[in-house]
Amino acid sequence: MKYKTFHHEAKQIDHLIDHYMRSRGSLFTPQEELKSLILKNYPDLYVKNVGWHKIVFGIRSTDQKIVLKVGAKKSIENDHRAYKRVPESVRHQLFARIFWHTKYCLLQEHGFPAHVTPEELASLRRAVYKYGIFDVKPDNLKRIDGQLKIIDVNVTPFPLPTIWKMVDEAKPKLPKRLILFIKKFTKPLYDR
């Protein structure tokens, strides 16, 4: 197993989150409290990004090539399911490698910010729509070893390429308030 030390720490984070949820009687830890809890107990981690359902932690002792994503169990499982849905023969050409996951954590390649042309974005979207994967946007892409790769997407129970193409194209045009409402509405679906 790659990054065995981090795997051990991820299992400890799982126990820490479980303990916190039991003591509070909650479904999942609110993001601000989760950040504070992890940063207090794991000084080698720092917040790299905060998404809708996960917090991305950088690891100081590495060369910024990997990150530890922490989120609700369902959110971590969805990331892993999207990754596994693409055939292994092309998976690592399209996706940043996922090394392993635990109940609430996932260790993944991360790479560097990327300038994405409309042609590159359209090409990546076409490549994954047929697998029921959508939400491919420039923010969810990084350069890893010079290649553009997906670091985060959503997966659906059914692949309908035309519909997901329309969803991906419409999302950036939606008002920010509507996007925040959708985030708030869908959050309970992932906090299990």
Side-chain angles (χ1 to χ4, degrees), residues 80-98:
H80 194 246
R81 187 172 46 239
Y83 177 73
K84 290 287 192 180
R85 195 172 268 190
V86 176
E88 203 169 342
S89 59
V90 294
R91 183 180 302 154
H92 297 127
Q93 295 168 18
L94 302 171
F95 280 89
R97 183 179 305 274
I98 292 177

Side-chain angles (χ1 to χ4, degrees), residues 5 8 15 19 23 34 37 44 53 57 65 67 70-71 78 87 97 99 106 111 116 128 141 143 148 162 166 182-183:
T5 304
H8 177 69
H15 293 304
H19 176 72
S23 69
L34 181 61
L37 188 67
D44 194 34
H53 306 287
F57 291 95
K65 287 188 176 183
V67 292
V70 180
N78 283 343
R97 183 179 305 274
F99 297 104
L106 181 140
V116 183
V128 296
L141 304 173
R143 290 265 175 219
L148 194 62
T162 306
M166 290 187 307
I182 292 168
K183 175 182 177 182

Side-chain angles (χ1 to χ4, degrees), residues 106-117:
L106 181 140
L107 190 76
Q108 182 179 33
E109 278 183 307
H110 196 64
F112 299 97
H115 170 74
V116 183
T117 67

